[in-house]
Amino acid sequence: MVITEIFKSIQGEGTRAGLPCIFVRLTGCNLRCTWCDTEYAFHGGTKFTLEEVLEKVEALAGEGPGRVSLVEITGGEPLLQPETPALAERLLAAGYTVMIETSGERFVGVLPRGVIKIVDVKCPDSGEPDTFDLANLAAVGPEDEIKFVIASRRDYDFARDFTARHQLAGRVRQVLFSPVFADPAGRWPGLDTRELVEWILADRLPVRLGLQLHKFIWHPATKGV
């Protein structure tokens, strides 16, 4: 496998936000979202065997009562690498709670049962609309989450209508609406969080506001957190 980084931090997003977590960031992505904050994972990386990845995770997890048991496989787009399902299987077998964050463009049904799937649906302002594989709707379940990253009112309307049309609230553990965080270098603006909250409340949506906690704790451009 080609790995950009493996590190321990807190989970910054989703329903497990705030929990200690080990991240395995795979290299490579076939999408180019306008607000992508991990462009450094598009290229480069280091080759690891599955055993080497597991050894690194074990070293970071530690032992005893304080052992970190939550692992997220992310990217880039982790499902571009054919070994990803096998890595997830090995981590599950080792007793970890395994999450995977994916763009939604790849079919998540290739993953072993027990993996918690965090599946994006790309909104229009991402620059990658219509890339979501609708087959993923049948492959997600009550432990999984579907996420929309929202940059504008247009994105919000798209996410609201997609959520209702496909009855997402009844398919997954949680639907997440996350505002775009402004780029520290000024390449793109952020969406005002209060504005997004007001839209959600006005429409009485069964969704959860998602904030990237790590960007409030560390500088938003910091890697490895």
Side-chain angles (χ1 to χ4, degrees):
M1 309 188 75
V2 184
I3 306 291
T4 293
E5 55 187 352
I6 304 174
F7 61 95
K8 180 168 62 175
S9 183
I10 59 139
Q11 178 57 241
E13 304 181 60
T15 61
R16 293 166 179 81
L19 294 175
C21 183
I22 297 168
F23 294 84
V24 180
R25 187 180 303 283
L26 277 60
T27 305
C29 188
N30 56 330
L31 301 185
R32 293 294 182 269
C33 296
T34 56
W35 36 252
C36 181
D37 58 2
T38 50
E39 292 177 338
Y40 65 91
F42 287 171
H43 309 289
T46 303
K47 289 185 177 180
F48 280 73
T49 64
L50 290 181
E51 288 72 22
E52 288 171 334
V53 175
L54 288 163
E55 288 173 4
K56 179 67 171 176
V57 170
E58 285 287 337
L60 290 171
E63 299 178 354
R67 179 177 184 265
V68 177
S69 60
L70 183 64
V71 177
E72 178 175 307
I73 304 171
T74 185
E77 173 46 65
L79 289 177
L80 289 177
Q81 298 198 36
E83 302 90 349
T84 297
L87 172 61
E89 187 70 67
R90 294 283 296 273
L91 289 167
L92 287 170
Y96 293 99
T97 299
V98 180
M99 305 167 61
I100 188 164
E101 179 128 12
T102 172
S103 68
E105 187 267 346
R106 297 275 143 170
F107 181 54
V108 299
V110 299
L111 293 163
R113 291 184 64 183
V115 173
I116 299 164
K117 299 174 282 294
I118 316 298
V119 186
D120 279 21
V121 179
K122 300 301 182 185
C123 297
D125 286 0
S126 71
E128 294 287 0
D130 304 318
T131 56
F132 183 74
D133 183 354
L134 287 173
N136 284 329
L137 294 177
V140 294
E143 292 302 317
D144 302 323
E145 302 173 18
I146 290 181
K147 182 175 77 171
F148 298 86
V149 178
I150 297 172
S152 65
R153 178 71 199 204
R154 178 174 71 156
D155 280 358
Y156 171 80
D157 290 342
F158 167 83
R160 178 197 61 200
D161 295 345
F162 190 101
T163 297
R165 182 166 65 253
H166 296 289
Q167 300 180 323
L168 297 186
R171 292 179 181 269
V172 293
R173 172 174 174 157
Q174 191 70 70
V175 179
L176 305 165
F177 279 24
S178 299
V180 168
F181 200 101
D183 176 48
R187 292 178 296 169
W188 63 81
L191 175 65
D192 183 80
T193 302
R194 183 180 301 177
E195 195 168 21
L196 177 56
V197 169
E198 290 172 350
W199 296 339
I200 291 171
L201 294 176
D203 287 335
R204 302 173 63 187
L205 298 188
V207 304
R208 178 188 294 235
L209 176 72
L211 298 177
Q212 295 176 296
L213 294 185
H214 49 290
K215 292 185 177 180
F216 292 91
I217 301 169
W218 294 278
H219 187 276
T222 305
K223 299 178 183 178
V225 296

